[in-house]
Amino acid sequence: MKNESTGIVRQIIVGEIDTNCYLFISNNELVVIDPGDEAEKILKEIKEAKVKPKYIINTHYHFDHVLANKKIKEETGAQILIHENEKDFIDFDADRFLKEGDKISVGDNALNVINTPGHTKGGICLLGEDFIFTGDTLFKDGYGRTDLLGGPYGDLVKSLKRLSGLLKPGMVIYPGHGETFKI
């Protein structure tokens, strides 16, 4: 568990390819980011947090980031959010389609939606004041694959260049796989 600004981040590693699911909690509001599998494990952590989820946010449509969406929504009533460019690739009902520049309010925090295509067309990062959830756009030792549907390498290069201008020294990076790290 880590404190970021006025929020708390809990990391839950789920699924067969060790996806990082995150609970972000601020002022008695909670969002679930990338519930990739093992819904019961995630629901147990939610119950322990004693805060009802407001949203389920997917950084992109790949199975390892969305498999537990349905069960968590059924159990909690949280709304599912994903970028509008993922619309044609999902097999679940999203409650809201995100776009570049949207702000997602979570307690005393705002998560700013940054569209970072490259791993997928509608890949996003969620930028907070001194932290960022990067999904499969950026990892500690690399970046997401671009050989899958909707993932042109040139788009990812542009997204990484753009991110380099947004990331500040000391900022905490919460990737979709692997270790959390600081800039």
Side-chain angles (χ1 to χ4, degrees), residues 155-172:
D155 287 354
L156 185 62
V157 170
K158 288 177 193 169
S159 292
L160 292 170
K161 282 182 183 174
R162 182 167 176 233
L163 276 182
S164 71
L166 297 172
L167 303 179
K168 304 175 282 194
M171 183 173 273
V172 179

Side-chain angles (χ1 to χ4, degrees), residues 78-91:
Q79 293 185 356
I80 299 173
L81 284 55
I82 191 166
H83 193 273
E84 62 188 356
N85 289 345
E86 304 290 66
K87 208 179 279 190
D88 295 335
F89 302 101
I90 61 174
D91 63 356

Side-chain angles (χ1 to χ4, degrees), residues 129-183:
E129 188 177 324
D130 55 3
F131 61 96
I132 188 169
F133 297 96
T134 60
D136 285 2
T137 300
L138 178 65
F139 305 128
K140 183 175 183 181
D141 297 316
Y143 48 82
R145 294 172 57 177
T146 59
D147 60 334
L148 305 168
L149 185 61
Y153 179 73
D155 287 354
L156 185 62
V157 170
K158 288 177 193 169
S159 292
L160 292 170
K161 282 182 183 174
R162 182 167 176 233
L163 276 182
S164 71
L166 297 172
L167 303 179
K168 304 175 282 194
M171 183 173 273
V172 179
I173 313 299
Y174 294 101
H177 301 273
E179 296 177 47
T180 298
F181 61 101
K182 281 189 177 187
I183 294 294

Side-chain angles (χ1 to χ4, degrees), residues 24 31 33 57 101-106 109-114 125-129 131-133:
F24 180 62
V31 295
I33 300 168
I57 308 170
D102 281 351
K103 291 189 187 318
I104 302 167
S105 173
V106 186
N109 283 267
L111 298 176
N112 299 292
V113 176
I114 311 297
C125 293
L126 301 165
L127 180 63
E129 188 177 324
F131 61 96
I132 188 169
F133 297 96

